[in-house]
Amino acid sequence: QKEQEEEKEQEEEKEQEEQKEQEEEKEQEEEKEQEEEKEQEEEKEQEQEQEAESVPTMEELMNQLEQANEQVVSFSDQALRAQAEVQNIRKRAQRDVESAHKYGLEKFLISLLPVIDSLEKAIESAKTEDNNKAVAEGVELCLKMMLDVLAKENVKQIFPEGEPFDPKLHEAMSVIESPDVEPNSVVNVFQKGYTLNGRLVRPAMVIVAKTSD
């Protein structure tokens, strides 16, 4: 009977120990659950704080809007400048093409002018001799044909005899006293000048009158 009692006591002790262990395990599980809940709450609070921080305030929104407007103005100015530059390049190219068309004959004309001068001198020389009048007329006709062709290309002669001296078109070889003409007027044309499409190719070489002292 004593042994039975001892066995019973041992069983009771064992049961108590098992119960105690179960209680401890339960407490540990509860503590673990509480810790997990606490962590979840902390994570949730952190997320809420981050969301609150990520939402811009009205002042921040206004600043962002102002910066965006400044960028729009800057980009607009850059686009306008680029457009203006393209237009300027296009205009310059157009002017260059027009200039090439209008003044492409300038070098050729400069080379041809001595020939025209020689023909004019030959005509003047031939007209002084009776036997060479026919030759003079033939050369004069050739010269007229040449000048007519040049006139079609907007080449014009400058022969300012009797006209006021114009430094933009004339070059004075000398100044002489000539009371019969207006002062600062062209008395004689030593060499004719020429223009191409209104641009001076060669000035007229002239003698200018001055008033007598």
Side-chain angles (χ1 to χ4, degrees):
Q1 186 176 359
K2 186 176 181 180
E3 289 178 358
Q4 289 177 352
E5 288 178 357
E6 288 179 356
E7 288 178 0
K8 188 176 180 180
E9 287 178 359
Q10 290 176 355
E11 287 178 358
E12 288 178 354
E13 289 176 359
K14 188 176 181 181
E15 287 178 358
Q16 288 177 355
E17 288 178 358
E18 289 178 354
Q19 187 175 359
K20 186 176 181 181
E21 289 177 357
Q22 289 177 357
E23 289 177 354
E24 289 177 352
E25 289 178 358
K26 188 176 181 181
E27 288 178 357
Q28 290 176 355
E29 289 179 356
E30 288 178 353
E31 289 178 356
K32 188 176 181 181
E33 288 178 358
Q34 289 176 355
E35 288 179 357
E36 290 178 352
E37 288 179 357
K38 186 176 181 181
E39 289 178 357
Q40 290 177 356
E41 288 178 357
E42 290 178 352
E43 289 179 357
K44 190 175 181 180
E45 288 177 357
Q46 290 178 355
E47 290 177 356
Q48 289 176 350
E49 290 177 357
Q50 290 176 355
E51 289 178 358
E53 291 177 356
S54 62
V55 175
T57 63
M58 181 60 68
E59 184 178 357
E60 291 173 343
L61 288 173
M62 293 300 295
N63 290 334
Q64 292 176 4
L65 180 60
E66 186 176 355
Q67 291 176 0
N69 288 334
E70 290 176 355
Q71 289 180 348
V72 169
V73 172
S74 176
F75 292 152
S76 178
D77 290 341
Q78 291 176 7
L80 289 174
R81 284 196 294 269
Q83 185 178 3
E85 183 64 23
V86 170
Q87 290 178 352
N88 290 335
I89 293 172
R90 187 178 301 167
K91 289 178 180 178
R92 284 197 296 269
Q94 186 176 358
R95 285 197 300 268
D96 291 342
V97 171
E98 290 176 354
S99 179
H101 283 257
K102 289 177 68 175
Y103 306 113
L105 292 175
E106 186 171 0
K107 290 184 179 180
F108 173 72
L109 178 60
I110 292 172
S111 301
L112 189 62
L113 291 182
V115 178
I116 296 175
D117 295 337
S118 297
L119 289 175
E120 289 177 342
K121 290 179 181 178
I123 293 170
E124 291 176 1
S125 177
K127 282 183 177 180
T128 59
E129 301 178 8
D130 294 336
N131 295 334
N132 291 332
K133 285 186 178 181
V135 175
E137 290 176 357
V139 176
E140 193 170 9
L141 180 61
C142 291
L143 177 61
K144 183 179 182 303
M145 292 173 63
M146 184 180 294
L147 293 176
D148 288 342
V149 172
L150 293 176
K152 292 179 180 179
E153 299 296 331
N154 292 322
V155 176
K156 294 182 180 180
Q157 277 189 337
I158 303 174
F159 187 75
E161 187 172 322
E163 298 176 3
F165 176 74
D166 185 352
K168 295 179 180 178
L169 299 175
H170 313 149
E171 184 174 339
M173 301 291 293
S174 64
V175 180
I176 62 172
E177 294 181 357
S178 182
D180 298 332
V181 298
E182 292 290 331
N184 201 41
S185 61
V186 176
V187 177
N188 188 21
V189 179
F190 179 75
Q191 187 181 65
K192 295 176 182 177
Y194 289 87
T195 61
L196 173 62
N197 287 308
R199 186 163 76 178
L200 184 66
V201 176
R202 187 181 75 181
M205 312 295 284
V206 300
I207 298 174
V208 183
K210 70 174 182 178
T211 58
S212 59
D213 295 335

